[in-house]
Amino acid sequence: MKVGFIGAGRVGSTAAYTLINNLEIDELVLVDILEELAKGEALDLLHASYALDKPIEIRGGADYSLIEGCDLIVVTAGVPRKPGMSRLDLLQKNAGIMRAVAKELGQRCRGSVVLVVTNPVDLMTYILWRETGFPRERVIGMGGVLDTSRLKSIVRRPTHGLVLGEHGDGMFIFGEDKGFEEAVRRAAMEVIERKGATIFGPAASIYRMAKAIVTDSREILPASIVLDGEYGLRGVAIGVPAKLGRSGVIEIIEFEEIREDLSRSALKLSEKLREIGY
Ligand code: APR
């Protein structure tokens, strides 16, 4: 099992550490435009893998040839939010980065599953899918797992509630604990205002999704996926419940009850995609 990270910043490096701690991985690579950062993080993680008594091959750099042969690639490259910014404020800048990343992945990684984390994640997932030409089952966005964890932390008990739709203001709760939407929406900004960035939450959520993919668990998790007729929607990536496994999306689960909320949330994302030429 070879796992690659594009983006060796705070979320990428923390997720990489979580993965080497908890999953059976043979090889891990980190690619970042900041070559020294990627090399330094790789070396630090290599030392950690020996301390954990789980030595694996870990390399880093700016050269995309490192990611050839990856089974799973996690994309965290991009600019994160600052206090007062919405995820959509990152759109122009991160769309350009996503196109550059897609160009590299499209040529080199035709067999990999790609987990997109860069925000605004639903739009970035769509761009990465379009620009790589990969099958939509192999391009998955991370948002709903994190939002659902935030919901659980707010109600402080296990819940069957799932946070679906846009990873942003257009999110909604399905199942249990409806009514906490506003608290979930505000959760990330409180962290950003206090410590400057969200890091552990996204990293642990990457791990949850990577675990389902790497171990082929077929667990149902909220995931941003390009829809092609499911829920009557097309040409947009949005958070829906999906069964995840080694080949990526195994099945999108359709619940009649969320059709309306999902359509409303998707409309806004489609408009944003149109604004940037998709
Ligand atoms: N190719 C590779 N790496 C890139 C590129 C690129 N074209 N552009 C930027 N990067 C790298 C930066 O050099 C930086 O190291 O992406 C990394 C981003 O790391 P941080 O700035 O620490 O940001 P982080 O907090 O990790 O957030 C990254 O994840 O959760 C989301 O909203 C968050 O979109 C943001 C992303």
Side-chain angles (χ1 to χ4, degrees):
M1 171 63 55
K2 178 174 176 181
V3 178
F5 280 81
I6 314 292
R10 292 167 296 189
V11 174
S13 59
T14 310
Y17 177 64
T18 313
L19 261 57
I20 63 164
N21 255 295
N22 296 295
L23 292 176
E24 294 308 316
I25 293 169
D26 308 301
E27 193 180 345
L28 189 131
V29 291
L30 302 160
V31 175
D32 199 292
I33 35 164
L34 302 177
E35 185 174 9
E36 282 305 305
L37 175 72
K39 285 187 167 163
E41 292 293 2
L43 204 51
D44 200 5
L45 285 163
L46 181 72
H47 301 161
S49 80
Y50 277 85
L52 294 164
D53 238 352
K54 291 171 83 175
I56 60 172
E57 197 180 325
I58 306 181
R59 288 173 298 149
D63 185 348
Y64 272 86
S65 65
L66 282 167
I67 56 163
E68 280 165 15
C70 276
D71 301 285
L72 171 66
I73 295 170
V74 182
V75 180
T76 66
V79 185
R81 284 196 283 170
K82 294 198 175 63
M85 285 172 88
S86 84
R87 292 186 183 91
L88 286 174
D89 292 335
L90 306 170
L91 179 56
Q92 290 296 349
K93 178 100 185 139
N94 284 350
I97 293 174
M98 229 30 52
R99 287 188 197 106
V101 169
K103 210 166 166 194
E104 301 287 349
L105 297 191
Q107 288 163 6
R108 299 170 196 274
C109 304
R110 300 217 64 89
S112 324
V113 173
V114 184
L115 187 57
V116 183
V117 181
T118 307
N119 277 310
V121 73
D122 305 290
L123 302 175
M124 297 302 118
T125 303
Y126 182 86
I127 293 172
L128 207 100
W129 167 73
R130 267 289 289 270
E131 301 288 339
T132 54
F134 288 175
R136 67 189 179 114
E137 294 78 16
R138 293 209 277 102
V139 183
I140 307 167
M142 190 289 288
V145 169
L146 177 54
D147 288 327
T148 302
S149 309
R150 288 175 176 148
L151 172 64
K152 287 177 187 164
S153 78
I154 290 161
V155 300
R156 292 197 181 272
R157 56 175 163 71
T159 169
H160 293 295
L162 280 182
V163 185
L164 301 169
E166 180 198 356
H167 180 48
D169 289 345
M171 69 175 67
F172 61 90
I173 297 170
F174 166 58
E176 216 181 1
D177 289 314
K178 274 178 157 306
F180 287 95
E181 287 81 358
E182 211 31 58
V184 175
R185 278 184 201 115
R186 278 200 313 266
M189 192 41 76
E190 185 180 352
V191 180
I192 293 170
E193 280 166 356
R194 289 176 190 270
K195 66 172 269 192
T198 58
I199 304 167
F200 294 118
S205 306
I206 292 169
Y207 160 67
R208 275 301 292 275
M209 296 185 84
K211 182 177 156 202
I213 295 164
V214 168
T215 65
D216 199 27
S217 73
R218 294 165 186 245
E219 186 181 2
I220 295 173
L221 292 168
S224 187
I225 300 167
V226 178
L227 299 183
D228 187 23
E230 296 86 2
Y231 290 103
L233 298 168
R234 272 206 162 76
V236 67
I238 189 161
V240 289
K243 208 177 271 182
L244 302 184
R246 193 65 181 257
S247 56
V249 180
I250 310 292
E251 186 187 350
I252 294 172
I253 316 293
E254 293 195 57
F255 292 103
E256 201 47 43
E257 307 94 292
I258 65 171
R259 235 182 144 88
E260 218 171 282
D261 282 334
L262 204 64
S263 300
R264 195 174 317 118
S265 193
L267 192 65
K268 178 177 153 202
L269 291 169
S270 302
E271 277 167 14
K272 287 285 165 193
L273 283 173
R274 247 197 320 276
E275 274 172 37
I276 54 166
Y278 289 96

